[in-house]
Amino acid sequence: MHITREQRLGATSQVIRSLPSLLIEIALQEDLGAGDWTTDSLIPPEHTTQCAIIAQAEGVLCGVAVAQQVFWHLDPEIRFTDCLSDGAPLVSGTVVMRLEGNTRAILKGERTALNFLQHLSGIATLTKQFVDAVAGTGAQIVDTRKTTPGLRLLEKYAVRVGGGRNHRVGLYDGILIKDNHLTALNGDIREAVRRARQNAHHLLAIEVECTTLTQVEQAIEAGADGVLLDNMPIAMLRDAVRRAKGRVRFIEASGGVNLQTVRAIAETGVDYISVGAITHSAPILPMHLEF
C-alpha cells in the first residue's frame, strides 16, 4: 500500500503529540523557575484573553502540536482555533494559531511555545531550501546526528516536514564505519566490514566513510552496503560515484555542503547528501504572540 507524505507526517505528528511531558516540563521549568513574578503580580488569576501567534518571515511551519502541549501543560482549558498544520507555507503576517484562555497561563507559556515553534520551523525552512536546490537530480537531503541534546526526535521530525529524510536516529539503527573506527583498526576497511557483518543483525546496513578513491574500492570489495564520500572535490566525487554505482546499494556525500554547493554535489549522481547544518545551524523562523 502506498503511503503519502501527508500520511507519513500525520503518523509522525502522533509521535510528537505523545512525547513524554518531561520535555515540556524541563523547558517550562528553566523559564518559570520559582514563578513568574511579573505575570502573577499584575494579572488576576481569573483573567482571560484572546490572542494569536503570527509569523514574521517566510518559511515552513513546524511544531504546532508541541506549542499546544506547552500551553495545555499550564492550563488544559486553553482553546485553539484557526491552527495551521505542520508543513504549511508561511509569510510575514500569517496567523499560525489563535488562542483563548487564562491570561496567566498564556503569558507563562508564551516564550517556551515560541522557542519550540521558531526553532522547528527554522529547521523545516532550511531543509526545504536544500530540497528545492537539488530538485530534479534524484538526490535526497538527509540529516545527521548533529542535533541539540534532548531534541533529536523533534529536530528530525522538522527535517521531514521540510521534505528531507532522516539518516540514523542514533548509533543503534545503522552501522557507519568512520575514520576514527578505521584508525583504531589501522585503516583496515575489509576487517572493519567483516566485524560489522559478523556482529550486527542482518537488517542493519553497513556504510563506510571514504575520503579517497582507494578507500572507495576497498569498501566495495569488502562488501559494504553503502559508501559515504566525505569532503571530496567535485571531480573526485564524480569519479567515486562512477566506480561505486551498481556495486553498492547507496552512495552518500557529505562535507562542504551548503546552498551554493549542494546542486553540483547532487549532479554527480549520489543518492543522498547529508547536511548537518539543517539541524545544528538553522536560523529560527521569527514569530510573536500578539494580544
Side-chain angles (χ1 to χ4, degrees), residues 118-148:
Q118 292 178 134
H119 179 56
L120 297 178
S121 296
I123 291 173
T125 298
L126 184 57
T127 300
K128 186 176 187 302
Q129 291 172 1
F130 274 94
V131 170
D132 289 346
V134 302
T137 65
Q140 299 186 69
I141 300 297
V142 297
D143 53 27
T144 70
R145 289 168 40 244
K146 297 174 183 177
T147 55
T148 308

Side-chain angles (χ1 to χ4, degrees), residues 176-179 182 189 207-220 224 226-232 236 240 252 254:
L176 176 52
I177 301 171
K178 296 175 69 69
D179 57 347
L182 293 174
I189 290 177
E207 184 177 15
V208 179
E209 180 183 79
C210 304
T211 57
T212 69
L213 296 177
T214 299
Q215 287 181 325
V216 171
E217 289 291 348
Q218 291 174 344
I220 294 170
V227 288
L228 171 59
L229 310 176
D230 187 49
N231 277 300
M232 289 186 177
M236 182 187 294
E252 178 182 349
S254 69

Side-chain angles (χ1 to χ4, degrees), residues 34-104:
D36 180 352
W37 287 101
T38 308
T39 296
D40 289 343
S41 297
L42 302 180
I43 308 299
E46 69 283 356
H47 192 280
T48 61
T49 194
Q50 295 179 337
C51 56
I53 292 177
I54 302 170
Q56 295 176 285
E58 183 176 346
V60 178
L61 176 62
C62 185
V64 171
V66 183
Q68 289 174 330
Q69 284 190 59
V70 169
F71 289 114
W72 279 331
H73 194 85
L74 293 165
D75 183 0
E77 300 301 316
I78 290 177
R79 295 175 297 281
F80 297 91
T81 58
D82 300 328
C83 287
L84 298 181
S85 299
D86 286 351
L90 301 175
V91 296
S92 181
T94 300
V95 174
V96 171
M97 67 176 73
R98 299 186 189 278
L99 303 78
E100 181 177 354
N102 184 268
T103 305
R104 282 190 175 187

Side-chain angles (χ1 to χ4, degrees), residues 133-210:
V134 302
T137 65
Q140 299 186 69
I141 300 297
V142 297
D143 53 27
T144 70
R145 289 168 40 244
K146 297 174 183 177
T147 55
T148 308
L151 297 183
R152 179 170 293 174
L153 288 180
L154 287 176
E155 293 178 347
K156 283 182 172 283
Y157 167 66
V159 167
R160 291 188 67 84
V161 170
R165 293 189 59 176
N166 296 147
H167 205 282
R168 295 185 297 174
V169 175
L171 295 172
Y172 53 84
D173 62 346
I175 295 177
L176 176 52
I177 301 171
K178 296 175 69 69
D179 57 347
N180 285 338
H181 298 112
L182 293 174
T183 298
L185 292 176
N186 297 314
D188 193 337
I189 290 177
R190 182 179 295 277
E191 177 63 12
V193 173
R194 186 195 68 79
R195 292 188 186 187
R197 191 75 70 191
Q198 181 180 53
N199 291 292
H201 64 74
H202 68 286
L203 295 179
L204 284 180
I206 298 174
E207 184 177 15
V208 179
E209 180 183 79
C210 304

Side-chain angles (χ1 to χ4, degrees), residues 257-286:
V257 183
N258 55 53
L259 287 171
Q260 288 70 49
T261 62
V262 70
R263 180 80 188 185
I265 294 171
E267 289 174 344
T268 63
V270 297
D271 301 304
Y272 303 104
I273 303 173
S274 50
V275 188
I278 56 178
T279 51
H280 69 60
S281 296
I284 67 165
L285 183 70

